[in-house]
Amino acid sequence: MPGFAPGMTARRFLLGHALWPLAALLALSLLSMGLGGDFWLADRFYAWEGGRWALQNSFLTEHLIHRFGRDASTAAWLGVFAFWLFARMRPALSEWRRPLAFLLMSTLLAVMMASGLKSLTNMDCPWDLSRYGGANAYFGLLDARPAGLERGICFPAGHASAGYSWVALYFFFLFVQPRLRWAGLAIGLGLGLLFGVSQQLRGAHFLSHDVWTLGISWFVALALYLTMARREAPATAPAAVPLLRSAGR
């Protein structure tokens, strides 16, 4: 199948990109949600901030990372969209069209899925809980909430999806320049961690909320990549697209 990393069989690809990430997601979920890792980490953040969410409305976490970071991610998506439109008008850039379309759809779908699930899972933010100065008792993902209790809209992490959705860059570079795929992954993970940890410091999310957002972003990108890569005609690993060929030499 086209689109795999050079020298990688379909079996190895699925093992490394589907089974191992799924195992990691389940293990981290067990650690954070089942064994109390969420509370362990949030307790330490809360104590470090003096028994309150002192960074909830700080310039760094609220305005710079939360608001500006969200806007910057949106601007990056619009930049990719503009490049895709430009490539659509230039025959010389035709090889960019599919990779760019993949990146646009993957990032958008990941953000939409994370945001949509928040309205269904009915879980509170840490700052809503009596343990951290709020009014609500804690109810887990599968727990029944009392009638009349306001719905929780905090799981998975919506803001972190603006960062983690860019793990799709890993697969984007598999399309255009496989040697750069790890740099693409680092960008997505780095942005997700920045946004996610910042929100945890504000009391907006637990660790597990970010873990699931990362999982959603990764598996959306993987599923879309496998779907789009299957449609390519060549049976060999993709060469770099024209504008990147010189970078691979």
Side-chain angles (χ1 to χ4, degrees):
M1 173 181 152
F4 289 152
M8 184 174 290
T9 64
R11 181 177 179 180
R12 285 186 59 199
F13 184 89
L14 292 176
L15 179 65
H17 295 77
L19 295 181
W20 283 119
L22 179 59
L25 173 63
L26 294 176
L28 287 172
S29 297
L30 176 62
L31 178 65
S32 57
M33 302 178 79
L35 300 179
D38 277 346
F39 288 127
W40 184 89
L41 185 60
D43 286 350
R44 277 147 185 80
F45 284 154
Y46 192 66
W48 176 68
E49 295 178 43
R52 61 190 181 96
W53 297 114
L55 296 177
Q56 181 173 350
N57 299 307
S58 75
F59 175 79
L60 176 63
T61 56
E62 166 64 8
H63 297 279
L64 186 60
I65 299 178
H66 186 208
R67 297 185 183 181
F68 177 76
R70 175 195 59 203
D71 294 343
S73 181
T74 301
W77 190 91
L78 292 174
V80 175
F81 181 67
F83 189 17
W84 176 76
L85 289 177
F86 182 69
R88 295 273 299 177
M89 296 183 292
R90 295 297 182 95
L93 299 177
S94 61
E95 293 179 80
W96 282 88
R97 295 170 188 169
R98 183 184 295 269
L100 289 169
F102 159 80
L103 187 58
L104 288 171
M105 289 190 289
S106 181
T107 50
L108 181 61
L109 285 172
V111 171
M112 291 177 62
M113 185 172 292
S115 297
L117 284 174
K118 287 176 64 175
S119 64
L120 299 175
T121 52
N122 204 10
M123 292 189 69
D124 293 311
C125 304
W127 61 36
D128 295 321
L129 304 179
S130 57
R131 182 173 182 141
Y132 303 112
N136 296 344
Y138 174 78
F139 296 94
L141 180 61
L142 302 179
D143 294 337
R145 291 168 69 92
L149 183 63
E150 184 177 356
R151 291 189 62 84
I153 51 171
C154 293
F155 177 86
H159 180 58
S161 68
Y164 281 128
S165 63
W166 292 100
V167 296
L169 285 167
Y170 176 91
F171 299 101
F172 170 79
F173 283 119
L174 274 183
F175 275 118
V176 300
Q177 183 59 270
R179 62 179 289 182
L180 298 178
R181 65 190 187 278
W182 298 112
L185 180 62
I187 291 172
L189 291 177
L191 287 173
L193 282 170
L194 176 64
F195 293 172
V197 171
S198 173
Q199 287 293 83
Q200 290 180 53
L201 288 170
R202 296 181 64 231
H205 289 291
F206 285 115
L207 172 63
S208 62
H209 300 186
D210 294 327
V211 169
W212 273 79
T213 296
L214 173 57
I216 290 168
S217 299
W218 178 261
F219 284 105
V220 164
L222 174 63
L224 187 60
Y225 174 77
L226 291 174
T227 300
M228 296 182 72
R230 284 183 183 277
R231 298 177 183 174
E232 293 191 347
T236 57
V241 297
L243 293 181
L244 288 177
R245 280 178 183 145
S246 59
R249 294 175 182 169

